[in-house]
Amino acid sequence: EGCRGLPRAADMAASGAESLCGQALLGAVPGAPRCPHGPALLFVKTSQGREEGRRFYACSACRDRKDCNFFQWEDEKVSETRLAAREEYNRNHQPSFTHRQNVERYKNFVQLPLSKRRFCQECQQLLLPAEWEKHSDHQFLCDISTSQLKSPSQLLCPLENKKTNAQYLFTDRSCQFLLDLIIDLGFRRVLSVGTPRLHEMIQSNASQEEDFRVRSLLLDIDFRYSQFYTEDEFCHYNMFNHYFFGGEAAHETCRKFLHQDNGERVIIVTDPPFGGLVEALASSFKKLMAMWKDTEEEGPNNQEMPMFWIFPYFFESRILEFFPSFSMMDYQVDYDNHALYKHGKTGRRQSPVRIFTNLTPRMIALPAEEGYRFCTICQRYVSSGNQHCEICNSCTSKDGRRWKHCVLCKKCVKPSWFHCNVCNCCALQTHTCEKADAGCFVCGKAGHKRSACPSLS
């Protein structure tokens, strides 16, 4: 449900700069230059034979330079003229209306009769009658109902550019499961980071049911949602650099929401774009957790803010690297507008998206009607195909299929893998044997491959 990924090396070579063989994220630094998406992130070039190269800043939010071409070497001296031009460019690439203006526009819009409620599909904007003429040659929807206004994720066109937005939306099944789970676990407030459909479902239930006590604050980089939510319900936020576009006021809104009031428990639920760098996301999530910890009236404690991080299972090792207390649930999260990430498919066609959480695994009850069962040995719910391995003493499957144990590798592997004596590990029968001593492509050193290069960490 999130919106944007991060730059790739091939996308970030500046004009006249040598081609980049690789990159490593150094993170957010004080005083970093800014692009329309907030403070840029600091990266370092890595080339074959060298562990570290020249450092540079690049946009935190866009992987493709066509979407944001910001690039600056860290040691580059930028002239006053260029700085002024950059500030002007950043101003010109901000939304046409402020959040407060959009709130006022919404109040006027809902007072219009149904016949005068129009939505411009090209500009993705609610239109007031005085603006019709300006959009006369655009395609628009008429007779926008109250139910449509309460379901903006269905009214707005999903941003599906895989290089930039990757905005996929939960199915009702996954969304309802998450909400039911949140309620059953006793949480009454949800910080929805890049999960507009979950936020929408919570808002809808709250408006329809008097005894519904769950509240939500949506943090999202998609500013279009400011047309439908107040400043206490939505903050324009970049999860890759922990940047609140609304400044201190928006930051304070988030801080107040995280403050535990009357014993109400709060949880972060986030569904970032899968193209984003895990270390950048982890850094932002830790800062949100720190905000929550600072609001604790009882003083500092070792408790970690509860969180659901929704991400593909093959990122497990990267997430655990930054959050060792997390564990991965077997529940398959699926999406309305994604061709592959669907529930109920078989084999490799199943959704690879899972829930990572720092809550005790046995507390996360998964639906038995969908084939999940409780493993008394692992003390967690697992999928029907995830059989307990007595040698590993764990339910080892990650993708829903039954995995098999390899005695030589001393671990369970995918059912389609076989042990290769050349590579000394399990792989597909059709794989090409590679020797790690040929030298890493990133740093040039022997003993590991590119995927395991320390420079990429």
Side-chain angles (χ1 to χ4, degrees):
E1 288 209 347
C3 287
R4 300 191 194 278
L6 274 172
R8 296 180 302 177
D11 298 324
M12 295 197 303
S15 176
E18 58 185 322
S19 62
L20 305 180
C21 295
Q23 63 178 8
L25 174 66
L26 298 178
V29 296
R34 300 190 175 203
C35 71
H37 306 98
L41 295 179
L42 184 63
F43 293 82
V44 62
K45 284 186 57 180
T46 56
S47 55
Q48 191 168 6
R50 292 188 300 170
E51 279 192 354
E52 188 171 301
R54 197 174 177 185
R55 299 183 176 196
F56 60 91
Y57 292 101
C59 175
S60 64
C62 300
R63 294 195 310 178
D64 198 325
R65 294 193 68 228
K66 293 177 182 177
D67 298 304
C68 183
N69 62 1
F70 182 85
F71 185 101
Q72 179 185 314
W73 296 113
E74 183 190 29
D75 55 3
E76 183 180 352
K77 293 188 181 297
V78 183
S79 67
E80 292 295 327
T81 303
R82 188 174 160 201
L83 283 174
R86 179 183 292 169
E87 289 179 7
E88 179 68 18
Y89 178 86
N90 290 348
R91 280 194 299 269
N92 292 337
H93 283 75
Q94 295 308 311
S96 303
F97 298 102
T98 65
H99 192 170
R100 186 157 297 176
Q101 287 173 329
N102 273 337
V103 171
E104 290 301 316
R105 286 167 52 80
Y106 183 84
K107 290 179 182 177
N108 294 329
F109 189 88
V110 295
Q111 291 175 359
L112 295 171
L114 196 63
S115 60
K116 291 191 175 182
R117 292 183 183 180
R118 294 187 179 183
F119 177 77
C120 179
Q121 291 181 294
E122 292 187 38
C123 301
Q124 293 287 285
Q125 181 181 314
L126 298 174
L127 298 180
L128 297 174
E131 300 163 344
W132 290 359
E133 182 63 29
K134 184 180 177 181
H135 298 260
S136 60
D137 57 342
H138 293 178
Q139 295 288 325
F140 50 81
L141 297 175
C142 299
D143 304 333
I144 302 300
S145 66
T146 301
S147 62
Q148 285 177 295
L149 293 174
K150 297 296 182 183
S151 305
S153 69
Q154 298 180 40
L155 183 62
L156 298 168
C157 292
L159 304 173
E160 295 180 349
N161 181 332
K162 292 181 181 179
K163 291 184 178 180
T164 307
N165 309 113
Q167 191 180 47
Y168 300 113
L169 303 167
F170 294 145
T171 57
D172 287 341
R173 163 194 168 268
S174 290
C175 209
Q176 191 63 59
F177 167 77
L178 285 169
L179 182 53
D180 291 343
L181 180 61
I182 288 166
I183 294 171
D184 291 344
L185 291 171
F187 294 103
R188 292 298 174 262
R189 278 172 299 129
V190 182
L191 187 65
S192 304
V193 185
T195 57
R197 187 155 283 181
L198 176 62
H199 174 75
E200 184 178 293
M201 181 175 283
I202 293 172
Q203 294 289 101
S204 176
N205 287 354
S207 66
Q208 295 174 20
E209 304 172 23
E210 288 186 10
D211 58 345
F212 189 80
R213 294 290 178 261
V214 181
R215 290 186 294 144
S216 173
L217 173 64
L218 176 62
L219 306 186
D220 205 293
I221 200 169
D222 189 349
F223 189 69
R224 298 177 302 171
Y225 285 104
S226 69
Q227 298 178 87
F228 306 91
Y229 300 122
T230 67
E231 290 163 297
D232 290 331
E233 298 168 335
F234 169 77
C235 291
H236 192 199
Y237 176 77
N238 183 347
M239 72 174 79
F240 292 108
N241 58 4
H242 187 58
Y243 180 66
F244 288 87
F245 292 84
E248 186 56 37
H251 189 277
E252 181 63 15
T253 295
C254 183
R255 193 198 70 79
K256 284 183 177 179
F257 184 83
L258 292 175
H259 179 68
Q260 289 196 344
D261 188 22
N262 298 325
E264 290 183 345
R265 299 176 65 207
V266 61
I267 184 172
I268 296 177
V269 181
T270 183
D271 182 32
F274 307 149
L277 290 178
V278 173
E279 48 264 64
L281 294 167
S283 175
S284 293
F285 299 155
K286 286 181 178 181
K287 288 173 182 175
L288 288 173
M289 288 177 163
M291 285 176 65
W292 169 78
K293 205 161 203 175
D294 290 342
T295 64
E296 293 281 86
E297 294 180 352
E298 299 178 358
N301 57 59
N302 295 323
Q303 186 180 3
E304 195 174 58
M305 182 180 182
M307 182 175 180
F308 289 156
W309 180 343
I310 296 159
F311 226 49
Y313 70 81
F314 38 80
F315 282 100
E316 181 182 21
S317 62
R318 294 292 287 150
I319 291 177
L320 297 185
E321 181 181 336
F322 296 99
F323 293 102
S325 63
F326 279 36
S327 54
M328 187 181 79
M329 303 296 98
D330 273 21
Y331 184 81
Q332 293 183 22
V333 180
D334 56 343
Y335 299 82
D336 264 344
N337 56 326
H338 197 291
L340 297 179
Y341 295 175
K342 297 289 187 183
H343 170 69
K345 292 190 175 183
T346 58
R348 298 184 66 188
R349 304 293 290 181
Q350 298 178 81
S351 172
V353 187
R354 303 290 184 266
I355 300 172
F356 294 85
T357 183
N358 50 4
L359 297 176
T360 305
R362 67 173 178 272
M363 297 169 58
I364 315 298
L366 305 185
E369 62 272 19
E370 293 183 16
Y372 298 101
R373 58 181 177 79
F374 187 76
C375 176
T376 55
I377 303 174
C378 294
Q379 284 291 293
R380 70 181 181 95
Y381 286 82
V382 297
S383 63
S384 57
N386 194 356
Q387 299 298 312
H388 193 88
C389 174
E390 294 184 359
I391 302 174
C392 295
N393 194 30
S394 175
C395 293
T396 53
S397 173
K398 307 292 184 184
D399 60 8
R401 297 178 292 172
R402 183 171 183 171
W403 285 21
K404 61 184 181 181
H405 190 86
C406 175
V407 178
L408 297 175
C409 289
K410 298 181 179 179
K411 64 179 182 180
C412 286
V413 297
K414 295 180 178 180
S416 56
W417 286 17
F418 296 88
H419 195 84
C420 173
N421 292 324
V422 177
C423 298
N424 195 30
C425 66
C426 285
L428 286 169
Q429 280 188 318
T430 56
H431 79 285
T432 302
C433 294
E434 296 181 37
K435 293 183 179 180
D437 56 7
C440 171
F441 176 77
V442 175
C443 69
K445 292 185 176 181
H448 63 266
K449 298 180 183 179
R450 182 189 186 283
S451 59
C453 180
S455 297
L456 294 178
S457 299

